[in-house]
Amino acid sequence: MTGHASGAFDVKLVPQESGHAAAEGAGIGRMSIDKRFHGDLEATSQGEMLSAMTAVEGSAGYVAIERVSGTLHGRSGSFVLQHNATMTRGVPYLDIIVVPDSGSGELAGLSGTMNIVIAADGKHSYQFDYALAASD
């Protein structure tokens, strides 16, 4: 079964101790992630983000892992999202995937990709294309 989910989400990022001194040309940071998804995905998530800011304006990168728990189009369970993103002099690249075999409950067998949209007013939304393997 394939599907598409969309909606808004709220996110709280809290800086954490990174344990790494700032290196010449790039600063490394760590943050905790707390999200609440609304819409087709009614869920919460917790995770960790590592980021690097460079000396060049508009260039940075981050990786993150977050566990999402809730309902997707009425199916309950949890799954893990893996983020990989860069900004190259203002040009974004974002890849968010469901970690293979991370789905549980009615979301076992979930795979997919998510896109995050940040509006001019700062509000966040998601577009999630997914597939659920047929249950045995």
Side-chain angles (χ1 to χ4, degrees), residues 28-126:
I28 296 175
R30 185 169 73 94
M31 294 187 210
S32 67
I33 304 168
D34 285 298
K35 285 184 186 170
R36 179 163 294 280
F37 293 90
H38 311 284
D40 298 326
L41 175 61
E42 287 289 337
T44 59
S45 76
Q46 290 77 42
E48 297 281 329
M49 173 191 292
L50 293 174
S51 63
M53 301 293 290
T54 72
V56 175
E57 185 176 337
S59 291
Y62 86 85
V63 294
I65 296 284
E66 64 180 306
R67 174 171 295 285
V68 180
S69 300
T71 61
L72 174 61
H73 282 128
R75 295 175 182 261
S76 64
S78 67
F79 57 94
V80 176
L81 290 173
Q82 177 178 310
H83 300 233
N84 176 30
T86 57
M87 180 77 73
T88 305
R89 299 179 183 204
V91 178
Y93 167 80
L94 177 63
D95 183 39
I96 304 174
I97 63 167
V98 175
V99 172
D101 299 314
S102 66
S104 69
E106 294 175 310
L107 299 177
L110 181 72
S111 62
T113 60
M114 183 178 281
N115 189 39
I116 293 174
V117 178
I118 303 174
D121 62 3
K123 295 198 184 279
H124 292 73
S125 63
Y126 64 89

